[in-house]
Amino acid sequence: MRVALAEDSAVLRDGLAALLNRRGHEVVAAVADGDALLAEITRLAADGALPDVVIADIRMPPTHTDEGLRAALTLREDHPGLGVLLFSQYVETRYASRLLAGNAQGMGYLLKDRVADVRDFMDALARVASGQTVLDPDVVTQLLGASQADDGLSRLTAREREVLGLMAEGRSNGAIAERLYLSYGAVEKNVAAIFTKLDLSQDGADHRRVRAVLRYLGAGD
């Protein structure tokens, strides 16, 4: 197989590349973020040399939230036959649901800490490259939970969830900015996005803040 890698951990990226090379596969690209992955695939496509499959982490620079998932969405839209295996420590339901909602052939999503055998990983990669769908059971469970009881929380990005969690601790926007090393304006944008995605009407910022926290804590509106 011809494989492209996107993984921000240099040790894991080099380890995966070495593993694939030892198994007789060709690593045609090994990059550290989603933008670099898209650039490499565009270059390879222009040369008529698309890989058989892409392995992509989900949380990569610059924000370490969902860069890999968004890159995967773009790749599947631009190159429908390209196999994509998401390989992450996290289950991100927002974009993953969109990614699998259309044609899920040639899609995979495995959790790093649940792959106990190299042979299982290589088998999953080959299946994705051949057009099959490979999903970790935990991924399936969380995706089904999000689709059956979507209270809006699944639409939040990882950063927005982080901000909402700090809101639930009673922290002000200024305190959240200091805690997350963000600008005050960036926190305000995240809070506004939370209100929008949770469909909280504009009936006073303080009231919406309380309602957002209640939603987060599972207490309803």
Side-chain angles (χ1 to χ4, degrees):
M1 291 180 290
R2 301 178 70 254
V3 185
L5 297 173
E7 165 63 57
D8 65 309
S9 168
V11 172
L12 183 53
R13 185 172 65 251
D14 289 351
L16 283 171
L19 171 65
L20 290 164
N21 287 328
R22 285 199 305 270
R23 298 292 175 118
H25 305 299
E26 180 185 2
V27 177
V28 297
V31 299
D33 61 73
D35 288 342
L37 174 63
L38 293 176
E40 283 296 303
I41 297 301
T42 298
R43 178 184 64 80
L44 291 166
D47 293 338
L50 272 178
D52 299 301
V53 62
V54 170
I55 302 172
D57 193 5
I58 287 177
R59 298 185 179 184
M60 293 186 289
T63 68
H64 295 279
T65 54
D66 49 22
E67 286 80 4
L69 266 174
R70 288 188 283 110
L73 275 169
T74 300
L75 290 176
R76 293 286 288 185
E77 290 170 357
D78 295 345
H79 312 284
L82 178 62
V84 175
L85 174 62
L86 296 170
F87 191 43
S88 177
Q89 292 177 290
Y90 311 98
V91 179
E92 298 286 353
T93 59
R94 182 186 176 208
Y95 288 109
S97 297
R98 284 176 53 192
L99 196 57
L100 297 167
N103 182 2
Q105 292 181 344
M107 274 302 310
Y109 196 150
L110 297 179
L111 299 179
K112 291 176 180 177
D113 59 358
R114 287 174 55 87
V115 176
D117 194 306
V118 170
R119 289 173 298 181
D120 292 341
F121 176 78
M122 297 306 300
D123 176 67
L125 187 63
R127 288 163 59 195
V128 170
S130 69
Q132 298 183 50
T133 304
V134 179
L135 298 176
D136 185 279
D138 278 2
V139 173
V140 174
T141 298
Q142 293 198 41
L143 288 175
L144 285 175
S147 65
Q148 291 172 356
D150 185 5
D151 55 5
L153 293 173
S154 66
R155 297 194 292 271
L156 302 182
T157 66
R159 174 64 80 191
E160 288 160 359
R161 283 177 172 272
E162 196 172 18
V163 169
L164 182 53
L166 292 172
M167 287 166 59
E169 294 178 14
R171 298 179 186 272
S172 67
N173 286 0
I176 293 172
E178 183 176 352
R179 177 72 173 271
L180 299 181
Y181 302 101
L182 297 173
S183 69
Y184 187 86
V187 172
E188 285 189 320
K189 288 180 180 179
N190 277 283
V191 171
I194 290 168
F195 292 160
T196 298
K197 291 177 181 179
L198 297 185
D199 296 320
L200 299 177
S201 58
Q202 296 185 7
D203 52 1
D206 289 341
H207 185 48
R208 283 196 294 173
R209 200 177 185 91
V210 172
R211 293 174 65 199
V213 168
L214 289 175
R215 187 81 60 85
Y216 176 77
L217 296 175
D221 287 338

